[in-house]
């Protein structure tokens, strides 16, 4: 529809009809079923609100959404179509690894392909928009939603934010436009704006206290990248920033997001976040909350009646201008128009297509490869890969049979579609010995609402018997693969944990198995980094597989038996213990920097643990071995004028006995500036494949733009001075060369 027509449509709409476009209701209000991903709306909705809401979340299915759309448009006074939205975070029905795992691949193309497959499957099921990518920077493993992010680093998160937006929406044309109406594409929504990943204490929804400089240099870049990639919508976060809830933060949403960052799309609140400004005690009531949110620039009210019950009155009373409403409605109409819904309100909803492409072989193969490429080999004392012939391997642990190995946000994933380790063994090693060994959890604390599906220790005698069986089978085996880890519900939204260890019952199993047979390979499932000191000390190998998704079991055996050589690197540091958290590689020097060897007292250190994490950002082993030559620069002076650059070079050689991939990383250290600067910052990476004995030169181009930061005057600029370029295979590389910016 032409813009002029949209304008005429808007002009013809009543105020009530316009206000209803700003309401989003859960699909379960229309069809008595649909995903509930937030607190129930305490005041309910009137039938009119449900009938005239502008968008719907949480429902999916071609036949169902066609039926809902048809009925809705018949009632809607101008036959304006709905937008169907849902959380497709890492796959619709073919579930990919959680985003935290995808970040470990250091392969944005992997995420782009996963997003494109998710778009194809969910579009065929009638969906128009996904609440993804989640780009919140995460540096606190206590926070349950680490799993949804691609990690602790601004630069890495930028690459994945762009890749996912392009995977869902398609790439921009020369004018920056995106063809959302194209078959198999859905609109993307970047979230949660802003800095939701830094709650005090790692406790979900808690206060965020960040300096503006840290917000701008660390937390905003990935949102900026999503905006530059053409993301269609942005979701506000639950938290306060500078003691202002994001949904009522006018400076954040209008001055920074729209004026500075250039976002022109739709802004939606997170679930009930407008109404929750009453809980934050900055709004006396829902009417005040509605005023604050509309003035701040929130277009859609997700799942509360703040807007639908108060905006009319606020306009009639002259408290807010109808122009604000019109601007919000126009952004929503434009999105509906970009999706082609005025011409085809059903978009790609097609039952036949749904049957053909969902979980098809091509998608499963892609998910299996992606999963294997996200596994991080943390330790390997020459025990992996398992010898194919080694029949005498026992597979033990509560995750061997577990089919729910997809993340907590895989709302539409199904256990019956998922390949567990046991499923993969039945196909690949039918004579493999296995035992459960222990329950998944010690108890149901915090997860009581899921009690009927939870696997926790309920019977002491049964537990003792399982342990006994496991120890006997371990003793009789040559090697034990021990599949341990978090339950999928122990991470995700409202799943913060103060202790990030494995449950006692699993640690008891680990100790019993290790006592029976020291040749233990731990396969670790989790939605976050965990405290695995004891495991990593005693096991011969540790493979972090996160929550690998639909093809997880196959991918795990592919790596354990060497069909795939692990190549992933940590996108988030594994803390030595929870006392270290938040811990990340890019901290500041401080006035009393500490190195392990120092003995002085008055230094920035702990008395009882090291400063360094157990495993750092960018770290991961391979079955191959790689030698990286000293870094050389083709110049040592970078001139401030545009276009000047320096090339850093290393030569990487595979000195191992099998083919593999190495992630070569470039970090820059600004040695001195007008404000404190991180000890180093990731500014580039290359994932390269090498056969045994093969070597390749790897180049990085260093530019002045790369050196910019928010300076003492709050300006984003570089400053002349000395820098180091580090090039290596983790954030702890000491392979450096110095250069000067003049
Ligand atoms: C939830 C989450 C958000 C999600 C939304 C809709 O509360 O915070 O990430 O997209 O509600 O399900």
């Amino acid at each position: 529809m032409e813009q002029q027509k949209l304008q005429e449509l808007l002009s013809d709409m009543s105020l009530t009809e316009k206000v209803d476009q700003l309401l989003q209701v859960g699909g379960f209000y229309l069809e008595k079923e649909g995903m509930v991903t937030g607190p129930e709306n305490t005041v309910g909705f009137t039938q009119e609100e449900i009938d005239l809401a502008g968008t719907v979340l949480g429902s999916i299915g071609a036949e169902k959404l066609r039926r809902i759309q048809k009925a809705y448009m018949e009632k809607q006074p101008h036959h304006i179509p709905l937008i169907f939205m849902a959380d497709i975070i890492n796959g619709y029905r073919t579930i990919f690894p959680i985003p935290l795992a995808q970040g470990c691949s250091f392969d944005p193309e992997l995420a782009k392909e996963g997003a494109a497959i998710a778009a194809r499957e969910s579009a065929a099921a009638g969906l128009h928009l996904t609440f993804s990518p989640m780009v919140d920077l995460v540096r606190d493993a206590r926070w349950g939603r680490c799993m949804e992010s691609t990690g602790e680093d601004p630069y890495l998160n930028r690459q994945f934010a762009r890749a996912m937006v392009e995977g869902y929406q398609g790439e921009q044309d020369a004018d920056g436009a995106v063809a959302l109406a194209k078959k198999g594409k859905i609109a993307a929504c970047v979230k949660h704006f802003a800095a939701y990943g830094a709650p005090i204490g790692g406790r979900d929804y808690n206060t965020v206290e960040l300096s503006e400089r840290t917000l701008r240099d660390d937390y905003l870049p990935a949102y900026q990248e999503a905006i530059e990639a053409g993301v269609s919508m942005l979701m506000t976060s639950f938290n306060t920033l500078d003691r202002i809830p994001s949904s009522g933060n006018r400076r954040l949403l209008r001055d920074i997001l729209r004026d500075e960052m250039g976002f022109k799309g739709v802004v939606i609140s997170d679930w009930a976040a407008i109404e929750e400004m009453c809980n934050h005690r900055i709004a006396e009531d829902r009417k005040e909350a509605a005023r604050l949110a509309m003035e701040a620039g929130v277009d859609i009210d997700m799942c509360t009646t703040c807007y639908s019950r108060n905006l009319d009155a606020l306009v009639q009373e002259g408290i807010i201008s109808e122009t604000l409403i019109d601007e919000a409605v126009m952004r929503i109409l434009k999105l509906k128009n970009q999706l082609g819904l005025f011409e085809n309100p059903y978009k790609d909803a097609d039952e036949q297509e749904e049957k053909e492409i969902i979980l098809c072989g091509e998608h499963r193969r892609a998910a299996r490869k992606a999963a294997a490429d996200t596994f991080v080999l943390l330790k390997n004392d020459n025990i992996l890969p398992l010898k194919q012939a080694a029949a005498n391997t026992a597979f033990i642990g509560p995750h061997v049979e577990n089919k729910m190995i997809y993340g907590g946000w895989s709302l539409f994933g199904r256990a019956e579609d998922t390949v567990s380790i046991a499923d993969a063994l039945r196909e690949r090693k039918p004579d493999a010995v296995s035992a459960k060994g222990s329950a998944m959890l010690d108890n149901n604390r915090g997860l009581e609402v899921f009690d009927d599906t939870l696997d926790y220790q309920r019977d002491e005698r049964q537990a003792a018997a399982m342990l006994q069986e496991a120890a006997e089978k371990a003793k009789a085996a040559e090697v034990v693969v021990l599949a341990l880890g978090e339950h999928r519900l122990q991470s995700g939204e409202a799943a913060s944990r103060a202790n990030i260890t494995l449950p006692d019952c699993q640690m008891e199993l680990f100790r019993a198995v290790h006592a029976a047979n020291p040749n233990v390979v731990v396969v670790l499932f989790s939605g976050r980094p965990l405290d695995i000191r004891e495991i990593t000390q005693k096991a011969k190998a540790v493979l972090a597989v996160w929550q690998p998704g639909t093809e997880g079991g196959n991918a795990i055996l592919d790596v354990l038996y060497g069909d795939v050589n692990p190549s992933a690197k940590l996108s988030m540091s594994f803390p030595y213990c929870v006392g270290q958290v938040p811990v990340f590689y890019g901290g500041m020097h401080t006035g009393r920097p500490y190195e392990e060897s120092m003995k002085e007292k008055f230094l920035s250190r702990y008395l009882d643990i090291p400063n360094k994490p157990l495993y750092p950002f960018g770290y991961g082993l391979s079955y191959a071995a790689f030698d990286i030559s000293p870094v050389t620069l083709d110049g040592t002076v970078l001139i401030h004028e545009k276009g000047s650059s320096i090339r850093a070079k290393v030569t990487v050689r595979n000195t191992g006995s099998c083919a593999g991939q190495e992630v070569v990383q470039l970090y820059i250290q600004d040695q001195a500036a007008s404000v404190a600067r991180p000890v180093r910052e990731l500014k580039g990476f290359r994932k390269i494949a090498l056969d045994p004995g093969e070597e390749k030169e790897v180049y990085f181009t260093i530019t002045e733009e790369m050196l910019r930061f928010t300076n003492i005057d709050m300006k984003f600029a570089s400053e002349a001075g000395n820098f180091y370029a580090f090039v290596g295979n983790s954030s702890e590389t000491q392979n450096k060369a110095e250069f000067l910016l003049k």
Side-chain angles (χ1 to χ4, degrees):
M1 188 189 283
E2 294 305 312
Q3 182 55 32
Q4 180 55 33
K5 290 272 184 234
L6 286 180
Q7 196 54 55
E8 288 164 11
L9 171 59
L10 178 67
S11 310
D12 200 41
M13 291 165 76
S14 69
L15 178 57
T16 301
E17 191 186 349
K18 288 189 281 192
V19 166
D20 286 332
Q21 280 296 308
L22 309 184
L23 167 62
Q24 176 169 85
V25 295
F28 42 86
Y29 282 102
L30 290 103
E31 286 270 315
K32 302 295 168 266
E33 63 163 334
M35 284 298 163
V36 179
T37 51
E40 202 59 18
N41 171 354
T42 49
V43 296
F45 292 102
T46 63
Q47 192 53 50
E48 189 199 25
E49 283 170 327
I50 293 168
D51 290 347
L52 295 175
T55 60
V56 170
L57 93 158
S59 281
I60 199 160
E63 189 277 328
K64 180 197 300 182
L65 297 192
R66 293 180 77 92
R67 184 174 66 246
I68 292 174
Q69 186 75 293
K70 183 174 184 301
Y72 171 85
M73 289 176 71
E74 282 165 3
K75 289 180 196 163
Q76 214 286 334
H78 286 85
H79 313 300
I80 299 170
L82 284 165
I83 300 179
F84 293 111
M85 305 185 184
D87 296 277
I88 307 294
I89 307 296
N90 47 295
Y92 167 46
R93 290 285 307 282
T94 303
I95 306 297
F96 274 65
I98 53 174
L100 189 62
Q102 293 188 36
C104 294
S105 71
F106 277 71
D107 179 6
E109 285 304 307
L110 175 150
K112 188 170 181 177
E113 182 184 28
I117 288 172
R120 280 201 293 276
E121 291 193 349
S122 57
L127 200 74
H128 302 145
L129 181 145
T130 178
F131 298 123
S132 175
M134 186 274 216
V135 301
D136 296 313
L137 197 76
V138 290
R139 293 170 165 170
D140 188 327
R142 294 170 294 184
W143 193 50
R145 301 193 76 166
C146 294
M147 56 156 288
E148 296 173 60
S149 166
T150 50
E152 71 182 53
D153 179 75
Y155 177 85
L156 185 68
N157 289 357
R158 289 191 79 133
Q159 314 315 310
F160 279 87
R162 171 173 290 275
M164 289 181 180
V165 169
E166 293 180 348
Y168 292 126
Q169 300 193 149
E171 298 190 9
Q172 293 162 298
D173 62 20
D175 304 325
V178 179
L180 292 180
K182 195 171 165 200
K183 187 171 184 323
K185 290 302 171 191
I186 56 175
C189 170
V190 64
K191 68 187 186 183
H192 307 78
F193 196 72
Y196 176 36
I200 291 175
R203 196 179 81 228
D204 207 357
Y205 316 123
N206 203 6
T207 306
V208 170
E209 288 292 356
L210 282 181
S211 70
E212 175 150 341
R213 186 168 282 111
T214 299
L215 172 72
R216 287 176 175 278
D217 285 358
D218 292 3
Y219 288 80
L220 294 189
Y223 300 110
Q224 182 68 60
E225 193 72 28
I227 291 166
E228 290 170 8
V231 73
S232 304
M233 191 160 89
L234 173 140
M235 186 185 294
T236 61
S237 60
F238 292 116
N239 57 284
T240 57
L241 253 182
D242 198 15
R243 299 190 179 181
I244 305 167
S246 299
S247 301
N249 192 330
R250 189 187 176 124
R251 178 163 181 268
L252 182 70
L253 298 183
R254 287 193 188 277
D255 302 349
I256 294 178
L257 176 66
R258 295 230 186 256
D259 298 349
E260 277 187 48
M261 299 172 77
F263 183 61
K264 295 180 173 45
V266 175
V267 172
I268 188 170
S269 77
D270 200 342
W271 188 296
I274 293 176
E275 183 175 84
E276 287 172 6
M277 285 199 275
C278 301
N279 298 340
H280 282 291
R281 303 287 194 276
I282 72 152
E284 286 294 319
D285 52 30
R286 289 185 176 88
K287 185 173 181 180
E288 173 69 352
R291 177 185 70 77
L292 289 169
M294 182 46 66
E295 287 179 351
V298 179
D299 298 322
I300 298 177
D301 176 2
M302 186 189 287
C303 290
T304 79
T305 57
C306 288
Y307 275 9
S308 54
R309 301 266 169 96
N310 296 290
L311 286 181
D312 287 60
L314 285 164
V315 171
Q316 308 295 0
E317 293 161 20
I319 295 171
I320 59 165
S321 151
E322 188 164 354
T323 308
L324 289 183
I325 311 284
D326 290 349
E327 288 167 356
V329 175
M330 180 50 80
R331 285 190 282 263
I332 295 165
L333 293 178
K334 280 182 175 175
L335 179 53
K336 295 184 176 187
N337 198 36
Q338 271 184 295
L339 284 160
L341 298 179
F342 287 105
E343 290 75 29
N344 171 13
Y346 309 109
K347 198 169 182 301
D348 303 344
D350 181 317
E351 290 175 82
Q352 185 52 36
E353 175 99 356
E354 237 180 346
K355 290 192 185 82
E356 284 167 7
I357 69 169
I358 286 178
L359 288 160
C360 66
E362 178 199 336
H363 292 179
R364 278 186 175 271
R365 283 187 295 277
R368 177 169 177 167
K369 180 180 183 317
D373 286 348
T374 65
F375 298 162
V376 185
L377 184 59
L378 297 173
K379 180 181 181 183
N380 184 23
D381 288 353
N382 295 320
I383 191 168
L384 289 179
L386 299 174
K387 295 187 284 300
Q388 296 281 1
N392 193 8
T393 299
F395 288 81
I396 296 172
H399 275 283
V400 172
E401 292 283 354
N402 181 26
K403 291 172 76 73
M404 299 184 86
I405 50 176
Y406 37 80
W409 269 106
S410 304
L411 301 179
F412 305 100
R414 296 178 190 169
E416 63 264 28
D417 299 332
T418 305
V419 179
S420 66
I421 293 175
D423 294 329
L425 282 172
R426 277 186 274 277
E427 201 174 293
R428 189 182 183 131
K429 299 269 178 198
D431 56 350
V433 169
S434 66
K436 187 176 179 190
S438 81
M440 183 87 73
L441 298 162
D442 296 323
N443 53 54
N444 65 350
R445 182 172 176 192
L447 299 171
E448 294 82 356
V449 292
F450 303 102
D451 197 81
D452 54 341
T453 64
L454 275 188
D455 169 19
Y456 62 90
Q457 195 140 305
R458 302 172 197 247
D459 177 330
E460 290 299 320
R461 277 179 307 147
Q462 186 197 33
M466 286 202 295
L467 216 49
Q468 177 67 28
E469 179 201 15
E472 285 164 3
K473 289 185 174 176
K475 193 170 180 61
E478 186 185 342
V479 174
V480 179
V481 171
L482 198 45
L484 305 174
E486 285 188 311
H487 188 287
R488 67 187 284 263
L489 296 173
Q490 285 185 284
S491 59
E493 185 172 356
S496 298
R497 296 178 62 201
N499 296 304
I500 53 174
T501 53
L502 289 182
D504 293 342
C505 60
Q506 289 194 40
M507 287 310 293
E508 213 177 322
L509 171 63
F510 171 73
R511 294 179 190 116
V513 164
H514 182 261
N517 183 339
N519 296 322
V520 176
V521 172
V522 170
V523 175
L524 183 71
F525 292 78
S526 73
R528 54 160 53 89
L530 295 175
D531 172 354
I532 56 168
R533 275 172 290 164
E534 182 179 348
I535 285 177
T536 201
Q537 202 178 13
K538 292 180 179 173
K540 287 265 177 66
V542 181
L543 181 71
V545 299
W546 311 105
Q547 282 149 359
T550 302
E551 284 289 326
N554 281 327
I556 288 166
L557 294 194
D558 288 344
V559 169
L560 290 179
Y561 286 101
D563 300 336
V564 174
N565 183 356
S567 61
K569 304 280 184 178
L570 290 179
S571 64
M572 186 176 179
S573 307
F574 261 62
Y576 182 84
C577 66
V578 73
Q580 237 184 23
V581 164
V583 63
F584 54 100
Y585 83 89
M588 302 294 152
H589 294 276
T590 77
R592 297 194 172 181
Y594 168 71
E595 294 298 335
E596 301 284 291
S597 56
M598 295 174 174
K599 298 300 174 215
E600 296 81 355
K601 173 175 175 51
F602 298 103
L603 296 172
S604 179
R605 57 177 297 189
Y606 301 97
L607 292 180
D608 51 353
I609 63 168
N611 285 12
K612 286 187 182 299
L614 190 65
Y615 293 110
F617 175 88
Y619 167 86
L621 300 176
S622 166
Y623 295 151
F626 300 97
D627 175 70
I628 298 180
S629 70
V631 55
T632 57
L633 304 179
D634 69 354
T636 54
V637 179
L638 197 54
I639 310 298
H640 206 289
E641 73 199 18
K642 211 127 176 62
S644 164
S645 67
I646 289 178
R647 283 220 308 178
K649 182 186 94 171
V650 293
T651 302
V652 186
R653 184 180 173 74
N654 181 344
T655 57
S657 57
C658 64
Q661 299 181 82
E662 180 58 296
V663 179
V664 186
Q665 302 152 48
L666 166 72
Y667 296 86
I668 299 283
Q669 179 190 91
D670 187 342
Q671 294 186 34
S674 58
V675 296
R677 304 278 292 117
V679 294
R680 59 180 74 183
E681 297 171 286
L682 181 72
K683 293 294 182 183
F685 56 85
R686 301 272 189 291
K687 190 163 193 174
I688 59 168
L690 290 168
D691 289 329
E694 185 183 10
E695 67 176 41
K696 280 181 184 167
E697 291 179 347
V698 176
Y699 294 91
F700 292 100
T701 299
I702 298 169
T703 63
E704 177 271 331
E705 288 83 355
M706 224 181 237
L707 311 179
R708 293 178 188 170
F709 62 98
T710 302
N711 68 14
I712 192 73
D713 302 319
M714 293 306 282
K715 298 276 182 288
F716 191 65
S718 60
E719 292 176 0
N722 293 309
F723 294 79
Y724 283 120
F726 294 85
V727 179
N729 63 1
S730 95
S731 58
E732 292 191 343
T733 180
Q734 292 310 316
N735 185 16
K736 68 183 181 186
E738 191 168 20
F739 66 92
L740 172 71
L741 173 68
K742 278 177 87 168

